[in-house]
Amino acid sequence: MSKKKKKSEIKNNRGSFFFAYQSVEKTGNCDNVDAINKLAKHLGDKAITWEKMKINGKIINLQILAAIEKAESFACDITYLNANVFFELGYAIGKKKPLFIMLNPKVKEAKSNYEAISILKGIGYIEYNNTEDLKRNISEFDTNHILLNELNLLSNNNCKNQIDIFYIKSNANSQAELDTISFIKESNYSQICDDKSEIPYQPLDWYLDSLNRCKYLIIHLSSNDKIEAHIDCCVNSLYAGLGYALNKKVLLVAPKPYFAPIDYNDILIQYKSSEECVKRIENWLPRKKIKKTTPSQGDKELNLLRLGIGYSLAEDEKDALSSYFVETYAYEAALKNKKSIFYGRKGTGKTALYIMLFNHFYNVKNTYLLGLKPESTDLLDNIEVVKLFEGTINKKSILHAIWKYVLYSKLLISIYENIKDVKKCEYNSTEQGVIDYYMKNSEMLHLNFLGVIKRLYEVGIKDNLSLTVVIEKYNKDFLSQLIMLIKNYFGNTKYYNIAILADNLDKAWDSNSDLSLQSEMLLSLLEISGKITQELFDKKKEKIEACLIMFLRSDIYKFILEKSREPDKVTIISNEVEWKSCRELLKRVVEKRLLYILELTKEDIPAIWKEYFDFGKDNPFDKVESACLPRPRDIIFFFGKMFESACNNSHTKVENNDFIYAYDSYTNFLYQNLVAEMSAEYPYIRDMIAELHSKFTDLIEINKFRRIVIKYEPDYKKSELLIKELFSNQYLLAVCEKKCEQYTDYDDVLLAEETEKKARKFFKRRVFHISQHPRYSRIKIK
């Protein structure tokens, strides 16, 4: 048989293809389209392109999806980023089509765009310049290459532990998205939220698992004018197509005006405000309360490997959290103190602590709970923050006034909801006064901190007034009446408690913003909270109590401590959320989760470690703990990745190969978190770590290392603080010349250097070297 004949037979056995690509009209380049059309012509009736689906000049999206489902294989060109193509690619993945993905590397930014979309890295592509390249590659195309089969995705019918909503944010972090997250998490729906500000990177199989388990998929698209919106849109379009293929109820939401791809015809809504966004999502979701379930006896057949260990984010499991929450000193301290700051690195459990404290105060009689939601820099669009305070004599008094608006507004909302919850035929005059005031001023009452700033700024511009004058006017017209209503309502109450819980106020913490102003914002909240009770105090009352609990990331806490006028007072009320000194509690976090998932008792713990893990003589928890930073999120993430690998490889127990897989995933997870935590204060940190990573094939002499850092941070004092921060985040180690001593604290390194200088004036001093911590050595940086 001739070589030519063999190729012909391969072609005939290859099956039919659907081709998706960007039109010439949009790219202005006909080369790719010509090459693909000639390939389709070469394949004859075994190929159909999207352009053949045109009817009277219009493309019918449902017909395109039907054609993809009918075709045996799916081919697409991702040289140009096109939302329709990515939606159809996601749909093809969901329908388990073999994928033939093309990219022309000669087109500017084609490869860099591919690299920017992390989800594509698990899929791959073939390079081409012309039709001959495509013919050669398609003749060797493997129709058995089905992505979902490789990732071992469970079928929807057999999926256990389902959730109601899977919500995927864009990268814009807009106020509408933050309000949507708040609405979903405060609703009766079980949910998972893909929040990149918490975990910057999730692997493809995590999205597949979440998509498979959900009933409703809600995806937020960023407006067309946002940075890298085209990349963000393509990624989310792929998830939308995948969800659509898996028969999920899919909703895409975007701010107006949004130039929507045709494939989104029936599943996209647009909004003008965050309130409209939330309202439209609420209307789209079914109104009936969906019953939540816990693992049943039948679930045990799936065993621990399939069920996992729970989620890395506390927000995603707030309903089950109480079943395996471990009470720490921080939890007890928060219940006792009037004012508390809890700070810690990402993943130490601050949000879990917030949820449990929120639930506690919610159930305490006569307690009015004021939860402060995340803020967004988007509320200050087109406003230079500095200008807001130009000509103001006292910035501090303005910030105090704004917090008073917010706190009293939230207190009145809480009172209003309390009145409405108690069903009455008639309300007394005080209650009716609260109701009337709420109905009249609802929009203003629901504004958060930055929302109030924006409103006052707009009033000042409109009436040509300074911010100070506007504040005085609102004190008279709005705030004084608000305080009087609240005091009247509590007039016959002998005791009540106000609990203020502030979490994620640092969401707006960004290197492009004025960090000093944001520090003042957080510090002023601490100062004003005590004054609320003084203003509401009435001699007739026996007791009024208030507590403020604020949760901050460690890097932000350190920043505001430096800016504080009285750092000693801030330090006194501060508690670090850390696990270095409580290893046994960290182990209990894992064990309580295992017991909850399997519905077992404490006595079964030894059997669980033995039944589901095979590390030879190594203790499973000790082995994982040695690889991780001592934080609940890290430990849970690592265990989850081991179970994922064991499942995908049909292991009956977690083996060493699964540990290696988890280690690789964890190091990249660790790197992304490090960058996320440090980028606000050190915006160049990603580039600097990339350079260091390339040079850490060997030890770097300490002064040479300092010169590398100074390239990025010319201020010597700040560069030393940066190095100290990298040590405290356990990214760096220092060793002496003969590696006989190891230092994990930069202060110890400086002290050792000084000791060497004094002790060895006439002899050669030992040289210190800097090393990357081993747990970061496997990160992959492009």
Side-chain angles (χ1 to χ4, degrees):
M1 186 183 291
S2 69
K3 190 173 182 181
K4 188 173 182 180
K5 188 175 181 181
K6 282 182 181 178
K7 282 193 175 183
S8 176
E9 285 189 2
I10 291 171
K11 182 184 79 172
N12 291 332
N13 291 329
R14 207 168 23 242
S16 58
F17 284 85
F18 181 91
F19 284 90
Y21 48 89
Q22 182 152 303
S23 66
V24 174
E25 288 83 355
K26 288 191 175 182
T27 64
N29 180 1
C30 64
D31 291 343
N32 286 13
V33 175
D34 285 346
I36 293 169
N37 279 326
K38 286 181 180 179
L39 174 64
K41 187 176 181 181
H42 169 72
L43 294 172
D45 59 4
K46 290 184 177 291
I48 184 170
T49 66
W50 70 271
E51 289 183 295
K52 290 183 180 179
M53 306 299 297
K54 288 183 179 179
I55 299 175
N56 296 327
K58 294 184 178 180
I59 306 167
I60 308 302
N61 59 329
L62 292 179
Q63 288 190 338
I64 287 179
L65 299 184
I68 293 172
E69 190 162 2
K70 184 179 178 182
E72 293 178 48
S73 300
F74 177 81
C76 67
D77 179 25
I78 58 169
T79 303
Y80 300 97
L81 296 181
N82 180 279
N84 277 319
V85 171
F86 275 80
F87 182 89
E88 290 155 18
L89 172 59
Y91 189 80
I93 292 172
K95 291 302 179 183
K96 296 189 176 183
K97 301 296 177 182
L99 305 174
F100 184 74
I101 300 179
M102 305 165 280
L103 182 145
N104 187 340
K106 297 294 177 69
V107 173
K108 186 180 179 181
E109 295 184 349
K111 274 196 168 185
S112 61
N113 285 337
Y114 171 85
E115 291 292 335
I117 301 178
S118 58
I119 187 174
L120 293 178
K121 294 172 187 176
I123 299 175
Y125 62 87
I126 64 103
E127 293 186 355
Y128 78 99
N129 295 315
N130 51 53
T131 306
E132 294 307 313
D133 293 336
L134 293 176
K135 286 180 182 178
R136 182 172 60 256
N137 280 283
I138 209 164
S139 69
E140 300 167 356
F141 177 58
D142 180 10
T143 56
N144 294 317
H145 178 73
I146 297 174
L147 186 65
L148 291 196
N149 287 351
E150 291 180 0
L151 291 168
N152 197 30
L153 181 68
L154 295 172
S155 68
N156 189 49
N157 292 333
N158 295 327
C159 181
K160 302 291 181 179
N161 200 18
Q162 281 197 335
I163 54 161
D164 297 322
I165 299 171
F166 180 30
Y167 174 59
I168 301 177
K169 276 179 61 181
S170 76
N171 288 322
N173 201 37
S174 67
Q175 186 61 41
E177 292 173 279
L178 296 174
D179 288 349
T180 299
I181 284 182
S182 297
F183 160 69
I184 291 173
K185 289 182 177 179
E186 291 170 7
S187 71
N188 292 320
Y189 298 101
S190 57
Q191 35 67 30
I192 298 175
C193 291
D194 173 35
D195 188 349
K196 295 175 181 62
S197 65
E198 285 295 331
I199 297 184
Y201 169 75
Q202 294 282 13
L204 175 58
D205 49 6
W206 181 86
Y207 285 97
L208 292 175
D209 178 65
S210 301
L211 282 167
N212 192 55
R213 293 172 50 212
C214 74
K215 297 176 184 176
Y216 308 99
L217 172 62
I218 302 173
I219 300 178
H220 225 115
L221 303 172
S222 53
S223 59
N224 301 102
D225 61 345
K226 295 295 182 185
I227 297 172
E228 295 188 341
H230 59 303
I231 292 175
D232 197 31
C233 179
C234 287
V235 173
N236 285 339
S237 296
L238 189 147
Y239 294 139
L242 185 51
Y244 204 79
L246 294 173
N247 298 316
K248 307 299 175 182
K249 300 293 183 182
V250 180
L251 179 69
L252 293 165
V253 289
K256 286 184 178 179
Y258 187 81
F259 305 107
I262 189 67
D263 285 342
Y264 297 173
N265 235 7
D266 305 319
I267 57 175
L268 174 74
I269 62 170
Q270 298 185 42
Y271 60 85
K272 290 183 178 179
S273 66
S274 60
E275 291 82 3
E276 183 185 358
C277 172
V278 172
K279 191 67 178 175
R280 296 199 68 178
I281 291 173
E282 186 178 7
N283 292 337
W284 178 78
L285 288 166
R287 294 189 180 277
K288 65 177 182 178
K289 183 178 178 180
I290 298 177
K291 184 180 178 182
K292 300 182 182 71
T293 60
T294 55
S296 66
Q297 190 69 26
D299 289 335
K300 291 180 183 179
E301 296 175 7
L302 292 172
N303 75 43
L304 180 64
L305 301 184
R306 187 66 75 187
L307 288 172
I309 192 175
Y311 302 111
S312 302
L313 291 179
E315 300 98 314
D316 293 339
E317 52 183 7
K318 62 180 181 180
D319 298 313
L321 188 61
S322 59
S323 300
Y324 41 73
F325 178 74
V326 175
E327 292 186 8
T328 61
Y329 170 79
Y331 181 77
E332 297 295 333
L335 295 178
K336 293 176 183 176
N337 300 331
K338 300 293 183 189
K339 199 177 290 186
S340 303
I341 296 177
F342 293 94
Y343 66 94
R345 289 192 64 190
K346 292 169 75 72
T348 50
K350 299 188 301 297
T351 300
L353 186 59
Y354 173 88
I355 291 169
M356 294 304 294
L357 288 169
F358 192 98
N359 291 340
H360 168 82
F361 286 114
Y362 183 82
N363 293 306
V364 175
K365 189 178 179 181
N366 292 331
T367 294
Y368 291 82
L369 184 56
L370 314 184
L372 300 181
K373 296 179 182 180
E375 309 291 346
S376 169
T377 50
D378 272 5
L379 281 172
L380 295 179
D381 276 349
N382 304 317
I383 301 174
E384 293 181 31
V385 178
V386 177
K387 285 186 177 180
L388 290 172
F389 294 92
E390 282 181 355
T392 58
I393 300 172
N394 194 338
K395 185 195 305 183
K396 182 179 176 181
S397 64
I398 291 177
L399 292 171
H400 281 183
I402 294 169
W403 274 124
K404 284 174 69 174
Y405 284 138
V406 173
L407 293 174
Y408 280 123
S409 295
K410 287 190 175 295
L411 183 53
L412 187 112
I413 292 169
S414 183
I415 292 169
Y416 169 80
E417 290 172 348
N418 186 55
I419 293 171
K420 299 297 285 184
D421 282 345
V422 180
K423 294 182 179 179
K424 284 184 170 184
C425 296
E426 292 184 13
Y427 299 108
N428 62 40
S429 59
T430 303
E431 291 170 335
Q432 192 61 51
V434 171
I435 294 170
D436 292 343
Y437 187 89
Y438 175 86
M439 299 303 292
K440 182 180 177 181
N441 300 284
S442 177
E443 183 184 357
M444 183 70 181
L445 289 167
H446 281 91
L447 291 176
N448 52 30
F449 186 88
L450 294 178
V452 174
I453 290 181
K454 183 179 180 182
R455 177 62 59 86
L456 298 181
Y457 175 82
E458 290 171 346
V459 170
I461 293 295
K462 180 183 175 183
D463 299 337
N464 196 25
L465 300 172
S466 70
L467 197 56
T468 304
V469 173
V470 174
I471 289 282
E472 291 173 355
K473 185 176 184 297
Y474 267 73
N475 275 336
K476 181 181 178 181
D477 299 342
F478 182 81
L479 191 59
S480 58
Q481 187 183 356
L482 184 60
I483 294 172
M484 187 57 65
L485 275 172
I486 294 171
K487 289 185 74 170
N488 289 341
Y489 178 79
F490 288 127
N492 297 316
T493 306
K494 292 185 177 180
Y495 167 82
Y496 65 92
N497 183 39
I498 301 170
I500 305 168
L501 269 66
D503 187 29
N504 283 334
L505 291 184
D506 47 21
K507 284 270 187 182
W509 205 266
D510 186 274
S511 58
N512 296 320
S513 306
D514 186 342
L515 298 185
S516 297
L517 180 62
Q518 294 186 65
S519 297
E520 292 282 353
M521 180 187 87
L522 296 174
L523 288 167
S524 61
L525 174 59
L526 290 170
E527 294 165 351
I528 197 64
S529 58
K531 296 181 181 179
I532 298 295
T533 52
Q534 294 175 15
E535 288 188 345
L536 294 177
F537 180 75
D538 192 314
K539 290 180 180 179
K540 297 177 183 178
K541 295 184 177 58
E542 293 181 0
K543 200 172 185 182
I544 303 171
E545 289 188 353
C547 66
L548 168 68
I549 306 171
M550 185 186 293
F551 299 85
L552 297 171
R553 283 200 333 241
S554 292
D555 57 315
I556 294 167
Y557 169 74
K558 290 173 185 175
F559 190 90
I560 68 168
L561 194 62
E562 292 173 4
K563 297 294 180 182
S564 174
R565 288 173 287 273
E566 298 177 301
D568 54 326
K569 290 185 178 180
V570 175
T571 304
I572 289 171
I573 63 170
S574 300
N575 302 275
E576 184 177 8
V577 183
E578 59 87 22
W579 298 80
K580 294 177 189 175
S581 57
C582 43
R583 177 185 180 276
E584 284 304 312
L585 281 180
L586 194 55
K587 188 177 182 183
R588 278 182 58 198
V589 169
V590 174
E591 291 180 340
K592 285 189 76 171
R593 284 169 171 260
L594 301 184
L595 294 175
Y596 173 75
I597 294 292
L598 295 172
E599 295 185 333
L600 298 174
T601 62
K602 188 177 180 181
E603 290 71 28
D604 297 306
I605 282 293
I608 292 175
W609 291 121
K610 185 177 180 180
E611 182 177 351
Y612 293 108
F613 299 88
D614 183 12
F615 293 146
K617 294 181 180 180
D618 292 336
N619 176 279
F621 181 79
D622 291 347
K623 189 177 178 71
V624 172
E625 187 196 31
S626 67
C628 291
L629 290 176
R631 301 182 300 200
R633 184 183 295 177
D634 295 57
I635 298 284
I636 293 163
F637 179 91
F638 203 103
F639 271 97
K641 286 296 166 187
M642 290 195 301
F643 295 153
E644 176 186 304
S645 175
C647 267
N648 289 344
N649 292 287
S650 302
H651 295 164
T652 56
K653 294 185 177 185
V654 175
E655 301 172 2
N656 277 313
N657 285 340
D658 304 317
F659 178 88
I660 293 169
Y661 170 85
Y663 198 99
D664 284 340
S665 299
Y666 174 67
T667 53
N668 285 286
F669 165 86
L670 203 57
Y671 162 68
Q672 296 291 351
N673 275 297
L674 177 72
V675 170
E677 286 184 358
M678 297 187 68
S679 57
E681 198 166 352
Y682 307 103
Y684 45 76
I685 191 68
R686 188 181 293 274
D687 292 334
M688 192 184 85
I689 288 180
E691 180 177 349
L692 291 174
H693 189 66
S694 67
K695 293 180 178 178
F696 270 134
T697 51
D698 198 3
L699 297 173
I700 304 175
E701 192 271 319
I702 191 165
N703 286 324
K704 183 179 178 182
F705 177 82
R706 286 177 175 133
R707 286 195 292 273
I708 295 173
V709 175
I710 284 175
K711 266 196 336 184
Y712 293 90
E713 182 48 74
D715 185 318
Y716 178 77
K717 186 177 178 180
K718 194 172 180 181
S719 72
E720 287 292 290
L721 289 173
L722 171 55
I723 296 172
K724 185 175 181 178
E725 193 76 18
L726 289 169
F727 267 88
S728 65
N729 284 332
Q730 299 187 43
Y731 175 72
L732 296 177
L733 297 171
V735 294
C736 70
E737 191 173 28
K738 296 182 179 179
K739 301 185 182 180
C740 57
E741 295 176 52
Q742 182 173 291
Y743 300 87
T744 57
D745 189 300
Y746 192 52
D747 287 336
D748 292 340
V749 177
L750 296 175
L751 181 61
E753 278 190 306
E754 189 62 32
T755 303
E756 281 292 303
K757 288 178 184 178
K758 291 178 180 178
R760 297 175 180 263
K761 291 182 179 179
F762 306 106
F763 301 96
K764 184 180 179 181
R765 292 198 295 267
R766 293 184 302 167
V767 179
F768 290 86
H769 289 80
I770 300 295
S771 168
Q772 185 183 47
H773 194 288
R775 65 168 60 97
Y776 284 93
S777 61
R778 297 167 74 97
I779 61 176
K780 298 176 178 64
I781 301 176
K782 297 290 183 182

